[in-house]
Amino acid sequence: NAGVTQTPKFQVLKTGQSMTLQCAQDMNHNSMYWYRQDPGMGLRLIYYSASEGTTDKGEVPNGYNVSRLNKREFSLRLESAAPSQTSVYFCASSYSLTVADTQYFGPGTRLTVL
Amino acid sequence: EDQVTQSPEALRLQEGESSSLNCSYTVSGLRGLFWYRQDPGKGPEFLFTLYSAGEEKEKERLKATLTKKESFLHITAPKPEDSATYLCAVFRGGADGLTFGKGTHLIIQP
């Protein structure tokens, strides 16, 4: 099992460009999440998907959109990148959103917006 | 608003020197407290889940404990490979996901 995979690993964008971060899990989990990690801020939830076909905003959703493509895949899109979106992005998955199930994290995408 | 505070921010120990990391939290209706380890350039790696006050869990040189206000991660006789950032997170169910602390950066010197 690969667990949670993310692509790309690194990306540099110019202000105003768009891109999609891809995430896939092979653990048959129902719930998936996108977090961002910034120095001194800890991990913060951007969007989550409780189950296939549903998505909801987390703590810091502005400037992002998501798509739960199927049970395995959950993508994060930046429509018009801004320097404030320079961060490390982590995808995670768990069996359920409603109980304290372990969230398993991917290796991250390091994004720089110039 | 849920808050998770980890201390110290950074800790440097000699190999074999035991110590504890602290995670204090204010959250109503705690459903679970998680500890993760994060190595540089990698995603968080799950260590433990604690569900209720008084609970303890162990894994190799690590032992996690939970009270109603805080959790401790005890590291006994650490080795250089234990060097990492240790993250604490709380979960109170539903749509809020995990609320993370900022982490403790631990360095174990040979």
CSV table of all heavy atoms in Angstrom, one decimal, chain A residues 33 35 37 40-45 48 56-58 90 96-108 110, chain B residues 31-34 36 38-46 49 51 87 91 93-102:
chain,number,residue,atom,x,y,z
A,33,TYR,N,-8.8,15.2,3.5
A,33,TYR,CA,-8.6,16.6,4.0
A,33,TYR,C,-7.4,17.3,3.3
A,33,TYR,O,-6.5,16.6,2.9
A,33,TYR,CB,-8.2,16.5,5.5
A,33,TYR,CG,-9.1,15.6,6.4
A,33,TYR,CD1,-8.8,14.2,6.4
A,33,TYR,CD2,-10.1,16.1,7.1
A,33,TYR,CE1,-9.6,13.4,7.2
A,33,TYR,CE2,-10.9,15.2,7.9
A,33,TYR,CZ,-10.6,13.9,7.9
A,33,TYR,OH,-11.4,13.0,8.7
A,35,TYR,N,-4.7,20.3,4.3
A,35,TYR,CA,-4.1,21.2,5.3
A,35,TYR,C,-3.0,22.0,4.6
A,35,TYR,O,-2.4,21.6,3.7
A,35,TYR,CB,-3.5,20.5,6.4
A,35,TYR,CG,-4.4,19.7,7.3
A,35,TYR,CD1,-4.8,18.4,7.0
A,35,TYR,CD2,-4.9,20.3,8.5
A,35,TYR,CE1,-5.7,17.7,7.9
A,35,TYR,CE2,-5.8,19.6,9.4
A,35,TYR,CZ,-6.2,18.3,9.1
A,35,TYR,OH,-7.0,17.7,9.9
A,37,GLN,N,0.6,24.1,6.0
A,37,GLN,CA,1.5,24.3,7.1
A,37,GLN,C,2.5,25.4,6.8
A,37,GLN,O,3.2,25.4,5.9
A,37,GLN,CB,2.4,23.0,7.4
A,37,GLN,CG,3.2,23.0,8.6
A,37,GLN,CD,3.9,21.7,8.9
A,37,GLN,OE1,4.4,21.0,8.0
A,37,GLN,NE2,3.9,21.3,10.2
A,40,GLY,N,5.5,28.6,12.2
A,40,GLY,CA,5.0,29.3,13.4
A,40,GLY,C,3.5,29.3,13.4
A,40,GLY,O,2.9,29.9,14.3
A,41,MET,N,2.8,28.6,12.5
A,41,MET,CA,1.3,28.6,12.5
A,41,MET,C,0.7,27.2,12.7
A,41,MET,O,-0.4,27.1,13.0
A,41,MET,CB,0.8,29.1,11.1
A,41,MET,CG,1.2,30.5,10.8
A,41,MET,SD,0.3,31.6,11.9
A,41,MET,CE,-1.4,31.4,11.4
A,42,GLY,N,1.5,26.2,12.6
A,42,GLY,CA,1.0,24.8,12.7
A,42,GLY,C,0.2,24.5,11.5
A,42,GLY,O,0.0,25.3,10.5
A,43,LEU,N,-0.4,23.3,11.5
A,43,LEU,CA,-1.2,22.8,10.4
A,43,LEU,C,-2.6,23.4,10.5
A,43,LEU,O,-3.2,23.3,11.6
A,43,LEU,CB,-1.3,21.3,10.4
A,43,LEU,CG,-0.1,20.6,9.9
A,43,LEU,CD1,0.1,19.2,10.6
A,43,LEU,CD2,-0.2,20.4,8.4
A,44,ARG,N,-3.2,23.9,9.4
A,44,ARG,CA,-4.5,24.4,9.4
A,44,ARG,C,-5.3,23.8,8.3
A,44,ARG,O,-4.9,23.6,7.2
A,44,ARG,CB,-4.5,26.0,9.2
A,44,ARG,CG,-3.9,26.7,10.4
A,44,ARG,CD,-3.9,28.2,10.1
A,44,ARG,NE,-2.9,28.6,9.1
A,44,ARG,CZ,-2.9,29.8,8.5
A,44,ARG,NH1,-3.7,30.7,8.9
A,44,ARG,NH2,-2.0,30.0,7.5
A,45,LEU,N,-6.6,23.5,8.6
A,45,LEU,CA,-7.5,22.8,7.7
A,45,LEU,C,-8.0,23.8,6.6
A,45,LEU,O,-8.6,24.8,7.0
A,45,LEU,CB,-8.6,22.2,8.4
A,45,LEU,CG,-9.6,21.3,7.7
A,45,LEU,CD1,-8.9,20.1,7.1
A,45,LEU,CD2,-10.8,20.9,8.5
A,48,TYR,N,-12.3,19.9,3.5
A,48,TYR,CA,-12.4,18.5,3.8
A,48,TYR,C,-13.5,17.9,3.0
A,48,TYR,O,-14.4,18.6,2.6
A,48,TYR,CB,-12.5,18.2,5.3
A,48,TYR,CG,-13.8,18.7,5.9
A,48,TYR,CD1,-14.9,17.9,6.0
A,48,TYR,CD2,-13.9,20.0,6.3
A,48,TYR,CE1,-16.1,18.3,6.6
A,48,TYR,CE2,-15.1,20.5,6.9
A,48,TYR,CZ,-16.2,19.6,7.0
A,48,TYR,OH,-17.4,20.1,7.5
A,56,ASP,N,-16.5,20.4,2.1
A,56,ASP,CA,-16.9,21.5,3.0
A,56,ASP,C,-15.7,22.4,3.4
A,56,ASP,O,-14.5,21.8,3.3
A,56,ASP,CB,-17.5,21.0,4.3
A,56,ASP,CG,-19.0,20.9,4.2
A,56,ASP,OD1,-19.7,21.9,4.0
A,56,ASP,OD2,-19.5,19.7,4.3
A,57,LYS,N,-15.9,23.6,3.7
A,57,LYS,CA,-14.8,24.5,4.1
A,57,LYS,C,-14.3,24.2,5.5
A,57,LYS,O,-15.0,23.8,6.4
A,57,LYS,CB,-15.3,26.0,4.0
A,57,LYS,CG,-15.8,26.4,2.7
A,57,LYS,CD,-16.3,27.8,2.7
A,57,LYS,CE,-16.7,28.3,1.4
A,57,LYS,NZ,-17.3,29.7,1.4
A,58,GLY,N,-13.0,24.4,5.6
A,58,GLY,CA,-12.3,24.3,6.9
A,58,GLY,C,-12.0,25.7,7.4
A,58,GLY,O,-12.8,26.6,7.2
A,90,PHE,N,-0.5,19.6,2.7
A,90,PHE,CA,-0.6,18.2,3.0
A,90,PHE,C,-2.1,17.7,2.8
A,90,PHE,O,-3.0,18.4,3.2
A,90,PHE,CB,-0.2,17.9,4.5
A,90,PHE,CG,1.2,18.1,4.8
A,90,PHE,CD1,1.7,19.3,5.3
A,90,PHE,CD2,2.1,17.1,4.4
A,90,PHE,CE1,3.0,19.5,5.6
A,90,PHE,CE2,3.5,17.3,4.7
A,90,PHE,CZ,3.9,18.4,5.2
A,96,SER,N,-13.2,7.8,9.0
A,96,SER,CA,-14.5,8.6,9.3
A,96,SER,C,-14.1,10.0,9.8
A,96,SER,O,-13.1,10.2,10.4
A,96,SER,CB,-15.3,7.8,10.3
A,96,SER,OG,-16.4,8.6,10.7
A,97,LEU,N,-15.0,10.9,9.5
A,97,LEU,CA,-14.9,12.3,10.1
A,97,LEU,C,-15.5,12.4,11.4
A,97,LEU,O,-15.1,13.3,12.2
A,97,LEU,CB,-15.6,13.2,9.1
A,97,LEU,CG,-15.6,14.7,9.5
A,97,LEU,CD1,-14.2,15.3,9.5
A,97,LEU,CD2,-16.5,15.4,8.5
A,98,THR,N,-16.4,11.6,11.8
A,98,THR,CA,-17.2,11.8,13.0
A,98,THR,C,-16.7,11.2,14.2
A,98,THR,O,-17.1,11.5,15.3
A,98,THR,CB,-18.7,11.3,12.8
A,98,THR,OG1,-18.6,9.9,12.4
A,98,THR,CG2,-19.4,12.1,11.6
A,99,VAL,N,-15.7,10.3,14.1
A,99,VAL,CA,-15.1,9.7,15.3
A,99,VAL,C,-13.6,10.0,15.2
A,99,VAL,O,-13.1,10.4,14.2
A,99,VAL,CB,-15.3,8.2,15.4
A,99,VAL,CG1,-16.8,7.9,15.5
A,99,VAL,CG2,-14.8,7.5,14.1
A,100,ALA,N,-12.9,9.7,16.3
A,100,ALA,CA,-11.5,10.1,16.4
A,100,ALA,C,-10.6,9.0,15.7
A,100,ALA,O,-9.8,8.4,16.3
A,100,ALA,CB,-11.1,10.2,17.8
A,101,ASP,N,-10.9,8.9,14.4
A,101,ASP,CA,-10.0,8.0,13.6
A,101,ASP,C,-8.7,8.7,13.2
A,101,ASP,O,-8.7,9.9,13.0
A,101,ASP,CB,-10.8,7.6,12.3
A,101,ASP,CG,-11.8,6.6,12.5
A,101,ASP,OD1,-11.7,5.8,13.4
A,101,ASP,OD2,-12.8,6.6,11.7
A,102,THR,N,-7.7,7.9,13.1
A,102,THR,CA,-6.4,8.4,12.7
A,102,THR,C,-6.4,9.0,11.4
A,102,THR,O,-7.0,8.4,10.4
A,102,THR,CB,-5.4,7.3,12.8
A,102,THR,OG1,-5.3,6.7,14.1
A,102,THR,CG2,-4.0,7.8,12.4
A,103,GLN,N,-5.9,10.2,11.2
A,103,GLN,CA,-5.7,10.8,9.9
A,103,GLN,C,-4.3,10.4,9.5
A,103,GLN,O,-3.3,10.7,10.2
A,103,GLN,CB,-5.9,12.3,9.9
A,103,GLN,CG,-7.3,12.7,10.2
A,103,GLN,CD,-7.6,14.2,10.0
A,103,GLN,OE1,-6.8,14.9,9.4
A,103,GLN,NE2,-8.7,14.6,10.6
A,104,TYR,N,-4.1,9.9,8.2
A,104,TYR,CA,-2.8,9.6,7.7
A,104,TYR,C,-2.5,10.6,6.6
A,104,TYR,O,-3.3,10.9,5.8
A,104,TYR,CB,-2.9,8.2,7.1
A,104,TYR,CG,-3.1,7.1,8.1
A,104,TYR,CD1,-4.3,6.7,8.4
A,104,TYR,CD2,-2.0,6.6,8.8
A,104,TYR,CE1,-4.5,5.7,9.4
A,104,TYR,CE2,-2.1,5.6,9.8
A,104,TYR,CZ,-3.4,5.2,10.1
A,104,TYR,OH,-3.6,4.2,11.0
A,105,PHE,N,-1.3,11.1,6.7
A,105,PHE,CA,-0.9,12.2,5.9
A,105,PHE,C,0.0,11.8,4.7
A,105,PHE,O,0.8,10.8,4.8
A,105,PHE,CB,-0.1,13.2,6.7
A,105,PHE,CG,-1.0,14.1,7.6
A,105,PHE,CD1,-1.4,13.5,8.8
A,105,PHE,CD2,-1.3,15.4,7.2
A,105,PHE,CE1,-2.2,14.3,9.6
A,105,PHE,CE2,-2.2,16.1,8.1
A,105,PHE,CZ,-2.6,15.6,9.3
A,106,GLY,N,-0.1,12.6,3.6
A,106,GLY,CA,0.8,12.4,2.5
A,106,GLY,C,2.1,13.1,2.7
A,106,GLY,O,2.3,13.7,3.8
A,107,PRO,N,3.1,13.0,1.7
A,107,PRO,CA,4.4,13.6,1.9
A,107,PRO,C,4.4,15.1,1.7
A,107,PRO,O,5.4,15.8,2.0
A,107,PRO,CB,5.2,12.9,0.8
A,107,PRO,CG,4.2,12.6,-0.2
A,107,PRO,CD,2.9,12.3,0.5
A,108,GLY,N,3.4,15.7,1.2
A,108,GLY,CA,3.3,17.2,1.0
A,108,GLY,C,3.7,17.7,-0.3
A,108,GLY,O,4.4,17.0,-1.1
A,110,ARG,N,5.3,21.3,-1.7
A,110,ARG,CA,5.9,22.6,-1.4
A,110,ARG,C,5.7,23.6,-2.5
A,110,ARG,O,6.3,23.4,-3.5
A,110,ARG,CB,7.4,22.4,-1.0
A,110,ARG,CG,7.6,21.8,0.3
A,110,ARG,CD,8.7,20.7,0.3
A,110,ARG,NE,8.7,20.0,1.6
A,110,ARG,CZ,7.9,18.9,1.8
A,110,ARG,NH1,7.2,18.4,0.9
A,110,ARG,NH2,8.0,18.3,3.0
B,31,ARG,N,-12.8,14.4,21.9
B,31,ARG,CA,-13.0,13.1,21.5
B,31,ARG,C,-11.7,12.3,21.4
B,31,ARG,O,-11.8,11.0,21.4
B,31,ARG,CB,-13.8,13.1,20.2
B,31,ARG,CG,-15.1,13.8,20.2
B,31,ARG,CD,-16.2,13.0,20.8
B,31,ARG,NE,-16.5,11.8,20.0
B,31,ARG,CZ,-17.4,11.8,19.0
B,31,ARG,NH1,-17.9,13.0,18.6
B,31,ARG,NH2,-17.6,10.7,18.3
B,32,GLY,N,-10.6,13.0,21.2
B,32,GLY,CA,-9.4,12.3,21.0
B,32,GLY,C,-8.2,13.3,20.9
B,32,GLY,O,-8.4,14.4,20.5
B,33,LEU,N,-7.1,12.8,21.4
B,33,LEU,CA,-5.9,13.7,21.3
B,33,LEU,C,-4.8,12.8,20.6
B,33,LEU,O,-4.6,11.7,20.9
B,33,LEU,CB,-5.4,14.1,22.7
B,33,LEU,CG,-4.1,15.1,22.7
B,33,LEU,CD1,-4.3,16.1,23.7
B,33,LEU,CD2,-2.8,14.3,22.8
B,34,PHE,N,-4.2,13.4,19.6
B,34,PHE,CA,-3.3,12.7,18.7
B,34,PHE,C,-1.9,13.2,18.9
B,34,PHE,O,-1.7,14.5,19.0
B,34,PHE,CB,-3.7,12.9,17.2
B,34,PHE,CG,-5.0,12.2,16.9
B,34,PHE,CD1,-6.2,12.9,17.2
B,34,PHE,CD2,-5.0,11.0,16.3
B,34,PHE,CE1,-7.4,12.3,16.9
B,34,PHE,CE2,-6.2,10.4,15.9
B,34,PHE,CZ,-7.4,11.0,16.2
B,36,TYR,N,1.8,13.2,16.7
B,36,TYR,CA,2.4,12.8,15.4
B,36,TYR,C,3.9,13.2,15.5
B,36,TYR,O,4.3,14.1,16.2
B,36,TYR,CB,1.8,13.6,14.2
B,36,TYR,CG,0.4,13.2,13.8
B,36,TYR,CD1,-0.7,13.6,14.4
B,36,TYR,CD2,0.3,12.3,12.7
B,36,TYR,CE1,-2.0,13.2,14.0
B,36,TYR,CE2,-0.9,11.9,12.2
B,36,TYR,CZ,-2.1,12.4,12.9
B,36,TYR,OH,-3.3,12.0,12.4
B,38,GLN,N,7.0,14.5,12.9
B,38,GLN,CA,7.3,15.0,11.6
B,38,GLN,C,8.8,15.2,11.4
B,38,GLN,O,9.4,16.0,12.1
B,38,GLN,CB,6.5,16.3,11.3
B,38,GLN,CG,6.6,16.8,9.9
B,38,GLN,CD,5.7,18.0,9.6
B,38,GLN,OE1,5.4,18.8,10.5
B,38,GLN,NE2,5.4,18.2,8.3
B,39,ASP,N,9.3,14.5,10.4
B,39,ASP,CA,10.7,14.7,10.0
B,39,ASP,C,10.8,15.8,9.0
B,39,ASP,O,9.8,16.0,8.2
B,39,ASP,CB,11.3,13.4,9.5
B,39,ASP,CG,11.4,12.3,10.6
B,39,ASP,OD1,12.0,12.6,11.6
B,39,ASP,OD2,10.8,11.2,10.4
B,40,PRO,N,11.9,16.5,8.8
B,40,PRO,CA,12.1,17.6,7.9
B,40,PRO,C,11.7,17.1,6.5
B,40,PRO,O,12.2,16.1,6.0
B,40,PRO,CB,13.6,17.9,8.0
B,40,PRO,CG,13.9,17.5,9.4
B,40,PRO,CD,13.2,16.3,9.7
B,41,GLY,N,10.9,17.9,5.8
B,41,GLY,CA,10.5,17.6,4.4
B,41,GLY,C,9.5,16.5,4.2
B,41,GLY,O,9.3,16.1,3.1
B,42,LYS,N,8.9,16.0,5.3
B,42,LYS,CA,8.0,14.9,5.2
B,42,LYS,C,6.7,15.2,5.9
B,42,LYS,O,6.5,16.2,6.6
B,42,LYS,CB,8.6,13.6,5.9
B,42,LYS,CG,9.9,13.2,5.2
B,42,LYS,CD,10.3,11.8,5.6
B,42,LYS,CE,11.5,11.3,4.8
B,42,LYS,NZ,11.9,10.0,5.3
B,43,GLY,N,5.7,14.4,5.6
B,43,GLY,CA,4.4,14.6,6.3
B,43,GLY,C,4.4,14.0,7.7
B,43,GLY,O,5.2,13.2,8.0
B,44,PRO,N,3.4,14.5,8.5
B,44,PRO,CA,3.3,13.9,9.9
B,44,PRO,C,3.1,12.4,9.8
B,44,PRO,O,2.3,11.9,9.0
B,44,PRO,CB,2.1,14.7,10.4
B,44,PRO,CG,2.0,16.0,9.6
B,44,PRO,CD,2.5,15.6,8.2
B,45,GLU,N,3.7,11.8,10.8
B,45,GLU,CA,3.6,10.3,10.9
B,45,GLU,C,2.9,10.0,12.3
B,45,GLU,O,3.3,10.5,13.3
B,45,GLU,CB,5.0,9.7,10.9
B,45,GLU,CG,5.0,8.2,11.2
B,45,GLU,CD,6.4,7.6,11.3
B,45,GLU,OE1,7.3,8.3,10.9
B,45,GLU,OE2,6.5,6.5,11.8
B,46,PHE,N,1.8,9.3,12.2
B,46,PHE,CA,1.0,9.0,13.4
B,46,PHE,C,1.8,8.2,14.5
B,46,PHE,O,2.5,7.3,14.2
B,46,PHE,CB,-0.2,8.2,13.0
B,46,PHE,CG,-1.0,7.7,14.2
B,46,PHE,CD1,-1.7,8.5,15.0
B,46,PHE,CD2,-1.0,6.3,14.5
B,46,PHE,CE1,-2.5,8.0,16.0
B,46,PHE,CE2,-1.7,5.8,15.5
B,46,PHE,CZ,-2.5,6.7,16.3
B,49,THR,N,-3.0,7.8,19.7
B,49,THR,CA,-4.3,8.5,20.0
B,49,THR,C,-4.6,8.2,21.4
B,49,THR,O,-4.6,7.0,21.9
B,49,THR,CB,-5.4,7.9,19.1
B,49,THR,OG1,-5.0,8.0,17.7
B,49,THR,CG2,-6.7,8.8,19.3
B,51,TYR,N,-7.8,8.8,24.3
B,51,TYR,CA,-9.2,9.1,24.2
B,51,TYR,C,-9.8,9.7,25.5
B,51,TYR,O,-10.8,10.5,25.5
B,51,TYR,CB,-10.0,7.9,23.9
B,51,TYR,CG,-9.7,7.4,22.5
B,51,TYR,CD1,-8.9,6.3,22.3
B,51,TYR,CD2,-10.3,8.0,21.3
B,51,TYR,CE1,-8.6,5.8,21.0
B,51,TYR,CE2,-10.0,7.5,20.1
B,51,TYR,CZ,-9.2,6.4,19.9
B,51,TYR,OH,-8.9,6.0,18.6
B,87,LEU,N,4.2,16.8,17.0
B,87,LEU,CA,2.9,17.6,16.9
B,87,LEU,C,1.8,16.9,17.7
B,87,LEU,O,1.7,15.7,17.7
B,87,LEU,CB,2.5,17.6,15.4
B,87,LEU,CG,3.4,18.2,14.4
B,87,LEU,CD1,2.9,18.0,13.0
B,87,LEU,CD2,3.7,19.6,14.7
B,91,PHE,N,-9.2,16.5,18.7
B,91,PHE,CA,-10.4,16.2,17.8
B,91,PHE,C,-11.6,16.2,18.7
B,91,PHE,O,-11.6,15.5,19.7
B,91,PHE,CB,-10.2,14.9,17.1
B,91,PHE,CG,-11.3,14.5,16.3
B,91,PHE,CD1,-11.4,15.0,15.0
B,91,PHE,CD2,-12.3,13.6,16.8
B,91,PHE,CE1,-12.5,14.6,14.2
B,91,PHE,CE2,-13.4,13.2,16.0
B,91,PHE,CZ,-13.5,13.7,14.7
B,93,GLY,N,-14.7,16.0,17.1
B,93,GLY,CA,-15.8,15.4,16.4
B,93,GLY,C,-16.4,16.3,15.3
B,93,GLY,O,-16.2,17.5,15.4
B,94,GLY,N,-17.0,15.8,14.4
B,94,GLY,CA,-17.8,16.6,13.4
B,94,GLY,C,-16.8,17.2,12.4
B,94,GLY,O,-15.8,16.7,12.0
B,95,ALA,N,-17.2,18.4,12.0
B,95,ALA,CA,-16.7,19.1,10.8
B,95,ALA,C,-15.4,19.8,11.1
B,95,ALA,O,-14.8,20.4,10.2
B,95,ALA,CB,-17.7,20.0,10.2
B,96,ASP,N,-14.9,19.8,12.3
B,96,ASP,CA,-13.7,20.7,12.6
B,96,ASP,C,-12.4,20.0,12.3
B,96,ASP,O,-11.4,20.7,12.4
B,96,ASP,CB,-13.8,21.1,14.1
B,96,ASP,CG,-15.0,22.0,14.3
B,96,ASP,OD1,-15.4,22.7,13.4
B,96,ASP,OD2,-15.5,21.9,15.5
B,97,GLY,N,-12.4,18.8,12.0
B,97,GLY,CA,-11.1,18.1,11.8
B,97,GLY,C,-10.2,18.2,13.0
B,97,GLY,O,-10.7,18.2,14.1
B,98,LEU,N,-8.9,18.1,12.8
B,98,LEU,CA,-7.9,18.2,13.8
B,98,LEU,C,-7.5,19.6,14.0
B,98,LEU,O,-7.3,20.3,13.1
B,98,LEU,CB,-6.7,17.3,13.5
B,98,LEU,CG,-6.9,15.8,13.5
B,98,LEU,CD1,-5.7,15.1,13.0
B,98,LEU,CD2,-7.3,15.3,14.8
B,99,THR,N,-7.3,20.0,15.3
B,99,THR,CA,-6.7,21.3,15.6
B,99,THR,C,-5.3,21.0,16.2
B,99,THR,O,-5.2,20.3,17.2
B,99,THR,CB,-7.5,22.1,16.7
B,99,THR,OG1,-8.8,22.3,16.2
B,99,THR,CG2,-6.8,23.4,17.0
B,100,PHE,N,-4.3,21.5,15.4
B,100,PHE,CA,-2.9,21.2,15.8
B,100,PHE,C,-2.3,22.3,16.6
B,100,PHE,O,-2.6,23.5,16.5
B,100,PHE,CB,-2.1,21.1,14.5
B,100,PHE,CG,-2.3,19.7,13.8
B,100,PHE,CD1,-3.3,19.5,12.9
B,100,PHE,CD2,-1.3,18.7,14.0
B,100,PHE,CE1,-3.4,18.3,12.3
B,100,PHE,CE2,-1.5,17.5,13.4
B,100,PHE,CZ,-2.5,17.3,12.5
B,101,GLY,N,-1.3,21.9,17.4
B,101,GLY,CA,-0.4,22.8,18.0
B,101,GLY,C,0.7,23.1,17.1
B,101,GLY,O,0.8,22.5,16.0
B,102,LYS,N,1.6,24.0,17.5
B,102,LYS,CA,2.7,24.4,16.6
B,102,LYS,C,3.9,23.5,16.6
B,102,LYS,O,4.8,23.6,15.8
B,102,LYS,CB,3.2,25.8,16.9
B,102,LYS,CG,2.1,26.9,16.7
B,102,LYS,CD,2.5,28.3,17.1
B,102,LYS,CE,1.4,29.3,16.9
B,102,LYS,NZ,1.8,30.6,17.3
